[in-house]
Amino acid sequence: MNHLIAPSILAADFANLQRDIELINNSEADWVHVDIMDGVFVPNISFGFPVVKAVNKHAKKPLDVHLMIVEPDRYLKNFKEAGAAGITVHYEVCPNLHRTIQYIKELGCRAGVALNPHTPVALLEDIIADLDMVLIMSVNPGFGGQRFIEHTYKKLKDIKALSGRHNPGLLIEVDGGVDEKNIAKLVEAGANVLVAGNSVFSAADPAAAIAYLKKPVASPGL
Ligand code: DX5
Ligand code: ZN
């Protein structure tokens, strides 16, 4: 499959959110990436259910909700009701991850697990068959516009190899510092869903930036 592009609305203009959602609607983007931050798991607070609902009212593409919050189980149903098509929780805050994943699936959402830059891919070995998606963080979560961490390529190759053994249809998302310079190498390393915040919304022409990121990469795979 060609890779998917998920622009992150964390980098959108919150005073013109409807305009920026419509920009995504009219672009080649596949999903809308929605970052939820609680000020506890990460040192920043983004927005909550009313904003997600408002985004969903205008979005014509699936909402890819990335929960950077502690105790995510408490809020999964609320995010489903707010319009989430997919929900990704962080490995680092889920002591009963298998139960959390089953719950997300019971709600009818695509279930994802995110790994911080320091969290080894190998920790997913006994859960990977149950997942729809793994999100590899390529920055420390909490802020847009940070510098891409180069070690991400190795983690993508590792998760691609693990998915080959246990879950060949796995979606592999990479989030943080994705731009027109590193996208080909990321896809070659195994990423098939690419989140892009600042490289889209800081561009002079965001729709053109999305189209550029969406261009097929010559030789994906390991
Ligand atoms: C960071 C968020 C990202 C962020 C990416 O914690 O999870 O989704 O919006 O922004 P850029 O692409 O600007 O690094
Ligand atoms: Zn994110």
Side-chain angles (χ1 to χ4, degrees):
M1 82 181 206
N2 192 13
H3 59 273
L4 307 181
I5 299 296
S8 169
I9 56 164
L10 190 66
D13 178 351
F14 289 169
N16 288 288
L17 206 41
Q18 183 177 351
R19 181 201 66 192
D20 284 356
I21 297 297
E22 277 162 11
L23 185 154
I24 296 174
N25 287 343
N26 296 322
S27 76
E28 290 179 46
D30 298 279
W31 296 350
V32 181
H33 187 78
V34 179
D35 287 306
I36 308 295
M37 303 176 180
D38 66 354
V40 179
F41 176 57
V42 291
N44 196 10
I45 295 176
S46 57
F47 45 78
F49 313 120
V51 175
V52 180
K53 268 190 196 132
V55 167
N56 189 48
K57 199 167 118 194
H58 297 287
K60 297 200 178 113
K61 313 210 173 183
L63 301 192
D64 173 39
V65 175
H66 175 193
L67 297 183
M68 286 160 275
I69 65 174
V70 298
E71 299 184 31
D73 298 31
R74 293 172 60 188
Y75 303 106
L76 296 174
K77 192 157 178 281
N78 302 72
F79 283 109
K80 162 67 183 175
E81 287 167 1
I87 300 179
T88 298
V89 295
H90 266 263
Y91 180 90
E92 298 82 8
V93 292
C94 292
N96 300 293
L97 185 58
H98 184 270
R99 180 184 294 146
T100 302
I101 292 303
Q102 301 312 318
Y103 186 22
I104 295 172
K105 289 183 166 178
E106 279 163 24
L107 290 169
C109 292
R110 178 175 39 67
V113 170
L115 299 184
N116 271 350
H118 72 279
T119 305
V121 160
L123 290 172
L124 295 179
E125 178 148 13
D126 291 320
I127 189 77
I128 195 166
D130 296 289
L131 303 180
D132 298 310
M133 185 167 87
V134 169
L135 187 167
I136 302 293
M137 286 304 306
S138 40
V139 297
N140 287 293
F143 303 92
Q146 300 182 82
R147 187 166 355 141
F148 177 84
I149 296 172
E150 296 287 322
H151 183 66
T152 305
Y153 297 116
K154 180 194 180 286
K155 291 183 78 171
L156 288 170
K157 285 177 187 156
D158 288 350
I159 194 73
K160 177 80 180 162
L162 201 59
S163 85
R165 292 201 292 279
H166 302 286
N167 185 351
L170 185 73
L171 292 166
I172 300 175
E173 185 173 51
V174 62
D175 184 5
V178 173
D179 61 23
E180 72 284 354
K181 291 191 287 296
N182 57 21
I183 188 153
K185 200 170 163 192
L186 289 167
V187 172
E188 280 161 16
N192 49 31
V193 184
L194 295 103
V195 177
N198 278 270
S199 65
V200 165
F201 287 103
S202 299
D205 182 345
I210 292 168
Y212 189 89
L213 294 172
K214 184 69 187 168
K215 280 201 303 194
V217 171
S219 54
L222 280 173

